[in-house]
Amino acid sequence: MGQTGTTERWPLPHCPITGAGDPWHGAGPAPNKQLRVYSAHRAPARPRYKGAAGAWAAEAQGKMPRCDTGCAPRDGAWGQVSSGAAASGAYPKRVKVVEVGPRDGLQNEKNLVPTPVKINLINMLSETGLQVIEATSFVSPKWVPQMADHTEVLQGIKKSPGISYPVLTPNLKGFQAAVAAGAKEVSIFGAASELFTQKNINCSIEESLERFEEVMRAAKEASIPVRGYVSCVLGCPYEGKISAAKVAEVSKKMYSMGCYEISLGDTIGVGTPGSMREMLAVVMKEVPVGALAVHCHDTYGQALANILVALQMGVSVVDASVAGLGGCPYAQGASGNVATEDLVYMLNGLGIHTGVDLQKLMDTGTFICNALNRKTNSKVSQASCRL
């Protein structure tokens, strides 16, 4: 990540977390502004694995016990990995998969997705054994038209017992609208890059944290748990390589505010196992590993490898998107978030419990891909010839 290769130029999109400039405040970059993209060296293509993914999916049905519900305590790892075990590279016994497809995945779709399709997607995901499904984003419809139906979606889904349906709330106005719609958990987002923060939400990192304080106070009064996102932890489209110390600083501040969990996002998907290990080693000195999650985009095909390193270091919460929905708007050929199907397939192979039914997950991926008239980005589904 520290090395820059060929410099290319692409249209500047809106914030990959919110899909826009500062939601509700209305500040954002001009649509046609250009930026420099820091490219990494591409690894040679690997041979295609011809395993029977369908057989693995069938084998997984009914044999994976559901994990405990609820969010991890602020002083203990979800997967019950001790600091000593994390240091030795032991895998967690279980992993909490946070499904972000309905929000992070769909917000980048150019064509508006009908509200009934979004509701059906979330309802199908609720039947897979997932314990956390990020439902929507309470951002200004002016900046993210795709999320304009946030109230209808949140109130229209069937909320299953033991499943959390958090929503993204960038500021107090969004938080208040989410609570009015029935939200029981929310997420806030920050970034480890000063330029990224300034260009996407028109303020400094410090100013963005001050805005979060309002949300945190209101959430505490309403007894609503808050999850925090930190973007650009392994690279920024403006600054290039990001200091691990800066990631740790922002993560510590958000955790100290009261976020029960900090999701570390490789927003443009340029991270490698090496940079992931380096970053986590620094962040874990400031935030307990039990309060950390990773959110990896697969732009350079490194997502699963990066997640594997995080697991070896004791992280037991991983974000993923069904069918690999979403995308990195900063690099040509970006394939978006790591596919939930591929993540669960890997975790099954490691003997790590997720409680997720892979077959039902693949069926859900088939549904949303048919609705969007696109091919799945999940390698597991592709190998199973489902789409």
Side-chain angles (χ1 to χ4, degrees):
M1 176 57 205
Q3 302 179 23
T4 57
T6 303
T7 300
E8 300 172 326
R9 303 178 73 85
W10 306 100
L12 176 64
H14 296 308
C15 173
I17 291 290
T18 64
D22 185 13
W24 303 108
H25 287 83
N32 295 321
K33 192 173 182 179
Q34 302 292 305
L35 64 120
R36 296 175 66 85
V37 173
Y38 296 83
S39 61
H41 296 289
R42 299 177 184 271
R46 63 178 181 179
R48 181 183 178 89
Y49 175 66
K50 299 181 180 180
W56 276 87
E59 184 180 16
Q61 295 187 51
K63 294 187 178 181
M64 297 293 287
R66 293 180 68 91
C67 302
D68 296 334
T69 57
C71 51
R74 285 173 55 81
D75 59 351
W78 177 269
Q80 300 178 2
V81 177
S82 66
S83 58
S88 66
Y91 292 115
K93 297 177 180 178
R94 65 185 76 166
V95 162
K96 180 176 71 173
V97 178
V98 177
E99 174 59 52
V100 299
R103 194 278 301 175
D104 196 23
L106 294 183
Q107 73 178 10
N108 287 322
E109 290 295 316
K110 295 180 180 179
N111 299 320
L112 289 180
V113 181
T115 302
V117 171
K118 296 178 182 178
I119 292 174
N120 197 16
L121 170 63
I122 296 172
N123 288 342
M124 291 182 70
L125 288 168
S126 295
E127 297 296 320
T128 65
L130 288 161
Q131 297 172 298
V132 184
I133 304 170
E134 193 173 50
T136 186
S137 178
F138 279 77
V139 295
S140 171
K142 176 182 178 181
W143 296 107
V144 194
Q146 189 65 258
M147 298 285 110
D149 58 354
H150 42 227
T151 297
E152 291 81 1
V153 169
L154 188 60
Q155 295 182 343
I157 61 177
K158 178 183 178 182
K159 298 181 178 66
S160 301
I163 300 179
S164 177
Y165 300 91
V167 298
L168 193 71
T169 57
N171 49 42
L172 184 58
K173 186 173 181 178
F175 173 82
Q176 292 170 338
V179 172
K184 301 300 181 184
E185 180 179 333
V186 301
S187 299
I188 59 175
F189 63 92
S193 162
E194 194 69 56
L195 284 177
F196 183 91
T197 304
Q198 292 174 351
K199 290 180 180 292
N200 284 277
I201 58 177
N202 198 32
C203 68
S204 67
I205 291 177
E206 196 60 37
E207 289 170 335
S208 71
L209 294 173
E210 291 175 1
R211 293 179 185 176
F212 299 154
E213 288 282 10
E214 294 181 323
V215 176
M216 297 305 300
R217 284 195 295 268
K220 184 177 181 179
E221 292 176 0
S223 299
I224 292 179
V226 181
R227 188 179 199 241
Y229 284 102
V230 180
S231 302
C232 299
V233 300
L234 295 178
C236 170
Y238 307 102
E239 298 181 13
K241 183 175 175 61
I242 296 297
S243 163
K246 189 63 178 180
V247 179
E249 177 187 342
V250 175
S251 299
K252 181 181 180 179
K253 288 182 177 180
M254 294 182 74
Y255 181 70
S256 298
M257 285 181 184
C259 291
Y260 76 87
E261 193 169 272
I262 305 297
S263 178
L264 303 170
D266 182 10
T267 309
I268 56 175
V270 295
T272 65
S275 60
M276 173 65 80
R277 183 179 298 278
E278 176 187 359
M279 181 272 296
L280 284 176
V282 177
V283 174
M284 286 167 56
K285 294 178 181 178
E286 304 295 341
V287 180
V289 67
L292 294 176
V294 289
H295 180 114
C296 299
H297 284 245
D298 202 29
T299 311
Y300 287 90
Q302 301 292 294
L304 286 178
N306 292 341
I307 291 168
L308 188 64
V309 165
L311 296 175
Q312 291 171 339
M313 298 185 71
V315 174
S316 56
V317 183
V318 181
D319 298 356
S321 178
V322 64
L325 294 176
C328 170
Y330 298 110
Q332 186 179 42
S335 54
N337 294 285
V338 65
T340 314
E341 300 93 319
D342 299 355
L343 172 65
V344 171
Y345 180 85
M346 181 183 78
L347 295 175
N348 285 352
L350 291 169
I352 299 175
H353 292 174
T354 63
V356 179
D357 186 316
L358 181 55
Q359 188 65 57
K360 290 182 178 180
L361 190 60
M362 293 168 68
D363 290 341
T364 305
T366 299
F367 161 76
I368 190 59
C369 285
N370 286 337
L372 300 176
N373 191 29
R374 65 167 8 158
K375 184 179 179 180
T376 181
N377 286 320
S378 164
K379 295 295 191 295
V380 170
S381 290
Q382 290 176 15
S384 300
C385 300
R386 299 185 62 80
L387 288 174

